[in-house]
Amino acid sequence: MDFGLVLQTDPPASEVVGLMRRAERNGFRYGWTFDSAVLWQEPFVIYSRILEHTDRMIVGPMVTNPGTRTWEVTASTFATLNDMYGNRTVCGIGRGDSAMRVAGRRPNTLARLGEAMDVIRDLGEGREAKVDGQSVRIPWVRDGRLPVWMAAYGPRALALAGAKADGFILQLADPFLTEWMIRAVRDAASDAGRDPAEVKICVAAPAYVGDDLAHARDQCRWFGGMVGNHVADLVSKYGADSGFVPAELTSYIEQRQGYDYAHHGRTDNPDTAFVPDDIVDRFCLLGPVEAHVEKLRALRALGVDQFALYDMHDAREATIDAYGASIIPALTA
């Protein structure tokens, strides 16, 4: 199993770079960041510094979207980083939640997302693609490699990930829901004539190592609110009792009142009081080292290739170090 570190690009950027360097020293192979231009600093600028100051780490957004950047710009940016540092990027992409809504726009349609994934991958790897009906190729790309991993929850998005993406990003760590969604992605890959095993599976969730569960829950409760944004979209589209989305994913948002993106991904988010303890426990990794190892082994048995650790709480360095000292070795031996 691979491990990734997920950060917001809060200033100063040097702190983000430092945490990524610390993560690589502790055995993390991937460095991910949020991508929302209004809320945080520009991640692609920071990726260049991370790549310069690490040796093997692969970097990318969790996640970008097809609406805030033109597709040829996204592809050229990745290709430039790869040319400078040797194919060490990954394009995590989704419909766009905070990035689009903060700018007053709706998230992208799945049709647009599917088209963008093909175009960005083709251009980033040096092939010709059509952008707004115009044939385009980036002529200086040589031996480019740009895997595209898609974030998804709902049935149509899971089907798109299985049909087109090189990897599937699931932003929660509940084994029951993980199994259900992995099955949907792999079935879609098979239906599209692909080898399901070729689609990498990445589970992303907060992790907090320690014996004080009450404190750990409070530090990670924001995540249930973030996931709740996507679940609310699913309920709006399919209905809470449609059968298209498991009740285990939809029932907890009944008390959700609203969401202020000014607190997105923050431990002090006041809009996440509706998230109950059991959801925090199910969606996150909390407790002593042994609890993390046990849950990660269960996820690995379901086919998870990477655990990406959201490190937005008051014990960032301690969590990275605990994973490096005890948890990563137990999962990679």
Side-chain angles (χ1 to χ4, degrees):
M1 177 182 273
D2 283 331
F3 286 82
L5 183 71
V6 189
L7 299 173
Q8 295 167 331
T9 51
D10 289 315
S14 58
E15 189 168 305
V16 177
V17 176
L19 288 168
M20 290 299 186
R21 295 180 68 189
R22 189 185 197 110
E24 184 180 62
R25 292 195 300 270
N26 276 281
F28 288 78
R29 187 167 173 240
Y30 284 78
W32 304 90
T33 73
F34 284 30
D35 177 17
S36 189
V38 174
L39 296 177
W40 300 288
Q41 292 187 330
E42 171 54 43
F44 285 91
V45 175
I46 299 172
Y47 296 155
S48 188
R49 290 295 302 275
I50 295 170
L51 289 166
E52 181 183 4
H53 290 284
T54 57
D55 297 318
R56 301 169 302 282
M57 181 170 274
I58 297 167
V59 304
M62 188 176 283
V63 291
T64 194
N65 72 87
T68 53
R69 311 171 197 273
T70 60
W71 303 348
E72 69 273 20
V73 169
T74 299
S76 181
T77 304
F78 278 113
T80 300
L81 292 172
N82 284 336
D83 186 65
M84 292 172 68
Y85 299 105
N87 287 340
R88 290 169 54 201
T89 67
V90 56
C91 177
I93 195 167
R95 293 177 59 226
D97 178 35
S98 62
M100 296 295 285
R101 288 185 164 122
V102 166
R105 297 175 229 152
R106 294 173 59 84
N108 298 270
T109 65
L110 288 175
R112 180 173 172 81
L113 175 56
E115 183 183 357
M117 287 197 294
D118 288 339
V119 170
I120 290 168
R121 183 195 294 111
D122 283 343
L123 292 178
E125 295 185 344
R127 295 184 295 276
E128 183 177 287
K130 284 194 177 295
V131 180
D132 296 328
Q134 175 71 37
S135 293
V136 175
R137 187 178 71 84
I138 302 175
W140 48 262
V141 175
R142 297 287 184 272
D143 301 318
R145 170 72 178 142
L146 182 59
V148 177
W149 294 20
M150 178 184 159
Y153 290 107
R156 290 180 57 228
L158 294 169
L160 179 61
K164 287 183 175 287
D166 300 299
F168 162 50
I169 297 171
L170 173 58
Q171 291 166 307
L172 54 81
D174 176 68
F176 173 83
L177 292 168
T178 298
E179 182 177 19
W180 186 87
M181 293 187 185
I182 288 176
R183 186 184 308 116
V185 168
R186 287 180 168 165
D187 287 348
S190 182
D191 291 344
R194 305 178 66 194
D195 179 357
E198 291 182 355
V199 182
K200 295 294 185 182
I201 307 295
C202 174
V203 160
Y208 198 105
V209 181
D211 295 323
D212 188 344
L213 280 177
H215 180 73
R217 287 172 182 139
D218 286 343
Q219 288 291 304
C220 298
R221 199 174 306 276
W222 63 266
F223 183 67
M226 188 182 83
V227 173
N229 293 331
H230 304 287
V231 175
D233 285 346
L234 296 177
V235 170
S236 176
K237 182 176 183 62
Y238 297 103
D241 302 315
S242 64
F244 287 107
V245 183
E248 289 83 354
L249 187 58
T250 61
S251 59
Y252 86 95
I253 68 162
E254 292 175 357
Q255 303 302 315
R256 180 179 182 269
Q257 299 298 316
Y259 195 83
D260 183 353
Y261 281 93
H263 307 285
H264 191 55
R266 306 292 189 188
T267 57
D268 59 352
N269 191 331
D271 300 321
T272 59
F274 72 93
V275 181
D277 286 351
D278 69 300
I279 286 293
V280 182
D281 292 346
R282 289 177 61 179
F283 284 10
C284 305
L285 279 80
L286 312 174
V289 164
E290 295 76 18
H292 291 248
V293 171
E294 180 181 5
K295 192 167 189 178
L296 287 167
R297 282 176 173 161
L299 291 169
R300 183 176 63 181
L302 296 174
V304 174
D305 299 293
Q306 180 185 155
F307 174 61
L309 187 162
Y310 282 104
D311 205 24
M312 281 75 83
H313 49 58
D314 66 0
R316 295 188 300 176
E317 291 87 351
T319 300
I320 293 169
D321 293 347
Y323 263 70
S326 304
I327 297 170
I328 292 177
L331 273 294
T332 57

